[in-house]
Amino acid sequence: MGWVDEDGYLYLTDRKSFMIISGGVNIYPQEIENAMIAHPKIADVAVIGAPHEDMGEEVVAVVELAAGVSPDDGTAAKLIDFERSKLSHIKAPRRVDFMDELPRHATGKLYKRVIRDRYWQQP
């Protein structure tokens, strides 16, 4: 996914396979991740679409917290409120889950597919 500016330069912004479709609305995780990473309690973040019975998918932020921050319901609520102040309500995560460390390749590339697959596996 991307866009072309008036000079013809192509800017890639996200992968189509990571696009979240929630209630018929296309949501691009990169925009949400860019807003969330600015929060001082967040060390790393991946935003994915997880299955939702009514909406098709829901926006879930999987967060690696900064050192010394507790992964609890209060922290999750504060992060959701922070996002709602920065983004439209439909784009803000409905849920925040915590991981000790997000999976990354030695080169630093985030393995978002690994995270996403955990939510989409059949029970």
Side-chain angles (χ1 to χ4, degrees), residues 30-103:
Q30 189 65 51
E31 178 183 7
I32 303 163
E33 291 166 352
N34 290 346
M36 288 195 82
I37 200 66
H39 195 285
K41 292 184 178 185
I42 295 176
D44 202 0
V45 62
V47 174
I48 57 135
H52 187 273
E53 189 174 304
D54 296 326
M55 302 298 283
E57 291 182 285
E58 70 176 335
V59 178
V60 176
V62 181
V63 173
E64 178 183 330
L65 292 169
V69 180
S70 299
D72 55 36
D73 291 342
T75 300
K78 287 177 185 175
L79 294 176
I80 291 170
D81 288 343
F82 174 77
E83 284 305 291
R84 287 186 176 161
S85 74
K86 302 289 181 196
L87 301 168
S88 70
H89 184 76
I90 192 76
K91 293 179 183 179
R94 301 279 188 242
R95 191 166 97 208
V96 174
D97 292 339
F98 301 105
M99 290 183 77
D100 291 335
E101 186 175 0
L102 296 182

